[in-house]
Amino acid sequence: MINKDLILDTVKLLRNAERIIAFTGSGVSAESGIPTFRGKDGLWRQFRAQDLATPQAFADNPRLVWEWYDWRRQIISEKKPNPGHQALAEWSKMFPSVHIITQNIDGFHQKAGSEDIHELHGNIWKLRCTEQGTIREDHTVPLKETPPRCPKCGALMRPHVVWFGEALDMDVLNQAVSLSSKADVMFVVGTSALVYPAASIPFTALESGVKVIEINPESTPLTSNADISIRGKAGDVLPKITKKFQRKPNRSEEKEK
Ligand code: BJW
């Protein structure tokens, strides 16, 4: 049961907000049928991260790594954004500035219609040449060759994602940090807040006085620091916030709050 008072508290904060950030993780895509990483059916419960999501894993066995990404591309290609993604896309029309900072690589925020999207961990639909660093978008499922080769130089292509032990794109990270320190409200949706440096972003926002609202069925290391923490699924909570925000405020509600 979603706590209605917390939804009203959130709407109250939004009434005076102009700059909104949604900081998202794999939980926002869970209701689309995309597995998370650390949950009950999460990817890291079935697979070892060090065998599939590290530069060493790719150097040792690029075919295996690519087979795993091809399998995930297949799953993503068969699913679509859910009401959580859609609510965030709708917010772009309701507030002067809405930025999505996502750890997700599935491209669902784009598909739902959000515009200002900052992908911290890359995008599964992009391939990068291991020799020249050129990036190519390719939505073919399954890939024509595994592992794929660069059409220009013949070198191995790798998924344009960030693996453990790799640095995030500094431009993307710096922009995300800068936007996060200037926002009025940040929503932290569907992330375990365990993977750094991404997990430090909501804390940077808090230090800058940004109101932080967490939406997650489970508690996380951020929960006790967040201004508001709503226990629930993104696809339930985010549309409820939109609905309450759009409804004319009831006077007694506004007075009480
Ligand atoms: C719902 C829901 C619903 C469910 N609605 N919510 C100690 C040892 C080794 C390494 C480290 C260490 N300490 C720190 C590190 C570094 C490491 C790290 O942080 N490790 C931690 C795990 C300890 N970080 C890195 O290596 C990073 N790089 C780095 O540090 O570089 C340093 C460097 C500097 C300079 C030069 C060189 C290096 C890179 C991290 C890259 C992470 N990559 C991945 C894979 C991306 C590609 C791919 O997808 O294949 O990113 S791992 C994975 O975790 C993925 C995610 O983006 C990321 C975060 O996961 P997320 O999204 O939070 O998912 P879950 O599953 O954890 O949580 C889901 C949440 O949703 C849960 O809370 C649920 O309750 C909730 N939920 N249903 C709302 N319906």
Side-chain angles (χ1 to χ4, degrees), residues 76-93:
I76 296 166
S77 72
E78 290 163 356
K79 314 285 183 196
K80 55 181 198 311
N82 65 57
H85 300 102
Q86 282 151 4
L88 293 177
E90 220 176 311
W91 291 8
S92 305
K93 296 176 215 126

Side-chain angles (χ1 to χ4, degrees), residues 49-60:
Q50 60 268 42
D51 293 343
L52 297 161
T54 63
Q56 192 57 50
F58 188 70
D60 290 348

Side-chain angles (χ1 to χ4, degrees), residues 43-44 47-74 105 124 126-128 130 143 145-148 156-164 166:
L43 293 169
W44 298 154
F47 304 99
R48 282 159 34 105
Q50 60 268 42
D51 293 343
L52 297 161
T54 63
Q56 192 57 50
F58 188 70
D60 290 348
N61 197 341
R63 179 183 297 276
L64 176 75
V65 171
W66 262 118
E67 281 170 357
W68 189 62
Y69 278 95
D70 215 12
W71 170 70
R72 289 175 60 202
R73 282 161 62 101
Q74 176 84 47
I105 61 170
I124 200 165
K126 292 181 181 164
L127 282 62
R128 190 166 84 233
T130 52
L143 285 160
E145 56 172 342
T146 313
L156 266 181
M157 300 290 276
R158 58 162 284 175
H160 183 53
V161 299
V162 182
W163 286 323
F164 285 112
E166 291 187 315

